[in-house]
Amino acid sequence: MEERLQKVLANAGVASRRKCEELITAGKVTVNGEVVTELGAKADPAADTIAVSGKPIKKEAKVYVMFYKPKGVITSVSDPKGRSVVTDYLKDVKERLYPVGRLDYDSEGLLLLTNDGDLAHKLTHPSHHVPKTYHATVERVPHGNALEKLAKGIKLDDGMTAPAEVEYHDIDPDGKYATIAITIHEGRNRQVRRMFEAIRHPVTRLKRISFGGLQLGGLQRGKHRKLSVEELAKLREIADAVQT
């Protein structure tokens, strides 16, 4: 069955779909010995010989891993500056995994990694409003009306945010800090931090505790585990539910 070439490559675990598109346009992909540079091109992985930089692709078993990313780790598979990256913690996984979305360098918590490029694409596409829940520890205690602004949507430099779910999780008796549970359905750069900056309560610690129905639970910092059959089914259900 023919599919778009970038999807075939992503499903084979070559890279994320976006990275596969870059490989195609850079002329590094061949189908039956012919260089293909058009993103609309299709191929049949069962019948065609597909290679990247001269190396034939092979189908890997699909792997889905939940990882507790520590603060100070890059959400990437490599870093030119030699800093720690998430795959440094997955040395026991033989398949080439790629992060689904991003967690800031200064943030921690649940990160999904997989070699299923199709699912990763769905979970990060703007049309799939995947819920993400964070515990944001902020300076001082925001008043309820400030949190109400976040819940309704607040103006940032790149436009209004979508409505969010916001509630107090922990409050310092001396009023020096508060931890707020916030669920968003967008994926803008440093969005949660910018939302709290907009109400003048800067984030001092940010931890993602949930992604697409997956719960971090008792997973320890720097550790990982494979998703259960039930978790994967739930994730696929959310990924397939396009919100228009």
Side-chain angles (χ1 to χ4, degrees):
M1 178 180 176
E2 286 195 337
E3 296 179 308
R4 286 185 179 271
L5 187 53
Q6 57 266 43
K7 182 177 180 180
V8 173
L9 295 175
N11 286 343
V14 172
S16 67
R17 190 181 296 193
R18 183 175 300 176
K19 180 64 177 177
C20 289
E21 290 176 349
E22 294 175 2
L23 292 171
I24 293 169
T25 56
K28 295 184 178 181
V29 180
T30 60
V31 178
N32 299 325
E34 299 291 332
V35 175
V36 176
T37 58
E38 296 180 3
L39 295 181
K42 294 185 176 182
D44 183 347
D48 296 321
T49 300
I50 304 167
V52 178
S53 298
K55 296 182 179 180
I57 65 170
K58 60 179 181 178
K59 285 194 172 183
E60 291 184 321
K62 296 294 187 292
V63 178
Y64 310 86
V65 168
M66 180 192 297
F67 173 57
Y68 186 154
K69 186 191 91 67
K71 178 180 178 181
V73 176
I74 303 291
T75 303
S76 179
V77 297
S78 63
D79 180 66
K81 297 181 180 179
R83 294 172 294 182
S84 180
V85 297
V86 293
T87 47
D88 290 339
Y89 293 80
L90 279 70
K91 299 296 187 184
D92 60 327
V93 181
K94 68 178 185 298
E95 293 84 3
R96 296 171 294 176
L97 303 186
Y98 300 89
V100 178
R102 304 190 69 80
L103 261 184
D104 294 337
Y105 180 79
D106 291 325
S107 301
E108 61 182 288
L110 194 161
L111 183 68
L112 177 66
L113 296 101
T114 183
N115 56 356
D116 187 338
D118 190 44
L119 180 63
H121 178 73
K122 289 180 179 179
L123 291 172
T124 54
H125 195 277
S127 67
H128 296 250
H129 297 183
V130 177
K132 297 170 280 286
T133 302
Y134 300 80
H135 280 167
T137 301
V138 302
E139 294 180 5
R140 307 179 310 282
V141 181
H143 292 299
N145 58 354
L147 296 187
E148 185 66 20
K149 292 179 181 178
L150 300 186
K152 290 181 178 179
I154 194 164
K155 187 175 182 179
L156 302 179
D157 57 6
D158 54 355
M160 291 291 294
T161 64
E165 299 164 35
V166 188
E167 63 180 7
Y168 295 105
H169 177 71
D170 185 34
I171 297 177
D172 173 38
D174 297 326
K176 294 181 179 179
Y177 68 86
T179 299
I180 311 298
I182 177 169
T183 300
I184 62 173
H185 300 264
E186 301 172 284
R188 304 191 203 181
N189 185 43
R190 300 178 66 85
Q191 180 175 340
V192 173
R193 292 182 184 274
R194 291 192 290 133
M195 289 173 71
F196 280 100
E197 286 171 3
I199 62 169
R200 300 183 179 181
H201 288 273
V203 172
T204 58
R205 184 189 180 196
L206 189 61
K207 176 181 177 181
R208 185 157 68 189
I209 62 168
S210 176
F211 176 86
L214 301 178
Q215 302 295 326
L216 186 62
L219 190 63
Q220 297 297 305
R221 186 182 288 108
K223 301 297 183 181
H224 66 276
R225 66 170 178 82
K226 291 185 178 181
L227 300 189
S228 67
V229 173
E230 293 77 15
E231 287 174 325
L232 182 56
K234 190 173 185 179
L235 196 62
R236 288 189 183 283
E237 183 179 346
I238 290 176
D240 289 335
V242 179
Q243 185 168 335
T244 57

